[in-house]
Amino acid sequence: MKLGVAAGATAATIVGASVPITGMLEGYPVLTGQAMRYALGAAVLLLVARRLPMPSWRDIPPLLGVVVTGMLGFNAVLIAAQQYAEPGFVAAVMGGAPIALALLSRQRTASAVVGAVVVAAGIVLLSGGGSWHGPGLALALITMAGEVCFTLFAVGVVRRLGVLGVATWTCILATVIGAVLGTFFGGWQMPNARQGFSLVLLAVVVTALAFGLWYFAVNRLGSDRAGVLIGLMPVSGLATSVLLGAQELSLVSVAGVTTVALGCVIGLRRGTHDAEGTHHTHDAGRVPPKSTIANGSDTPAQVVAP
């Protein structure tokens, strides 16, 4: 439980703090830039993984779902949404992601749902709302759906391929699809020093590290409880902006952070079933504590010499 919370909180914090890094890629081709980012991320993950399990045919659809909706599609739609809506509005709409994850979990708990609602309220306070025009609302909703799909498409296949397996294969698929599509839409461009630094940092820290940590958290906590940790993304983004002097800390922001923290505490509470040890693997994302699913196996763990 504690390891799952720590992993999920770290992943959410990394993603939230990476917003200024992503901004360095403004004007760079979206698809080919992502292809390069995920190619480097896959290379790092391949170095870390001791073995890479081969996906079966039933694993391909959810892996593609993660790539198309939660990776390539999410980033592309997020950029488009900010052309028709203020960033605060997009962030506020994305605050619905924890609620969606809590409601769509097959063994959702009341505490997870309540916590998700509180977290969403905190995100709205942090973002400050904002306005939209044209397709801004639709694009913001699609962005939120991509955030949800990034987790939901993976919870089943993580049990079969393991955390590193899913993170690596999605990066490989995103590299191939992004490279092919980017060749026709946007083209290729040599990154300058600033853009190259951004791509490397996004690949190593945000992709290789944060992806693995997030799927580990979902594997341990379940999609409903892990979802409340999404609220830490805007909190981390706020902290980064304040430290960089790009934003001042206000009473509303403090209230938003406090509300998100309260929602996380509520949502991560152990339910009755957890306390009695009766949660089984039929939930989307929960695994037995002695399983080695994170390594791609569902057999009892064995001691392996390094």
Side-chain angles (χ1 to χ4, degrees), residues 53-68 153 157 160-161 169-170 173 177:
M54 291 297 294
S56 64
W57 286 109
R58 69 170 178 165
D59 297 325
I60 300 300
L63 289 174
L64 287 174
V66 172
V67 171
V68 174
F153 272 121
V157 72
R160 298 188 293 272
L161 297 181
W169 279 113
T170 51
L173 290 172
I177 296 173

Side-chain angles (χ1 to χ4, degrees), residues 85-136:
E86 295 179 358
F89 177 80
V90 178
V93 174
M94 287 181 62
I99 300 176
L101 286 171
L103 292 176
L104 292 174
S105 176
R106 280 184 282 179
Q107 287 191 359
R108 59 185 175 273
T109 62
S111 60
V113 176
V114 173
V117 172
V118 176
V119 165
I123 293 175
V124 173
L125 281 174
L126 279 172
S127 65
S131 60
W132 58 275
H133 65 277

Side-chain angles (χ1 to χ4, degrees), residues 129-153:
S131 60
W132 58 275
H133 65 277
L137 175 59
L139 290 171
L141 289 171
I142 295 173
T143 303
M144 184 198 73
E147 179 73 27
V148 172
C149 290
F150 179 77
T151 296
L152 289 185
F153 272 121

Side-chain angles (χ1 to χ4, degrees), residues 255-275:
V257 171
T258 304
T259 304
V260 168
L262 176 61
C264 288
V265 171
I266 296 173
L268 291 170
R269 290 180 59 193
R270 289 179 179 271
T272 304
H273 294 294
D274 288 324

